[in-house]
Amino acid sequence: GDAVEHIPQLHRFEVRDVTGCGDTAAAVTMLAKLSGATLNEAATLANAAAAVTASKIGAVAPTLAEVLDMLSS
């Protein structure tokens, strides 16, 4: 459809390096969608994963534990 939905970034963290954030968001979105998540769920998960990546120096992939911790904070 033509509907547009805003997925806010609700996580507060110190941005250290944005290298790899887009790749992380794209990969997590695809993985979540392939696992049966809705687009909203996938985008929320991808947002948290990219936030974890941005909080580190370099293109460092987040762990599941780090993403879940980001979502619960």
Side-chain angles (χ1 to χ4, degrees):
D2 293 345
V4 175
E5 188 168 345
H6 176 71
I7 308 295
Q9 173 61 287
L10 302 175
H11 320 291
R12 294 237 177 241
F13 61 95
E14 180 183 349
V15 175
R16 301 185 73 204
D17 187 350
V18 297
T19 304
C21 290
D23 294 329
T24 298
V28 171
T29 300
M30 185 61 68
L31 179 61
K33 286 297 293 168
L34 290 172
S35 297
T38 66
L39 184 55
N40 190 307
E41 292 166 336
T44 299
L45 191 60
N47 230 352
V52 172
T53 298
S55 71
K56 300 178 179 190
I57 298 293
V60 180
T63 66
L64 177 58
E66 290 172 322
V67 174
L68 294 177
D69 185 53
M70 181 66 75
L71 286 169
S72 68
S73 63

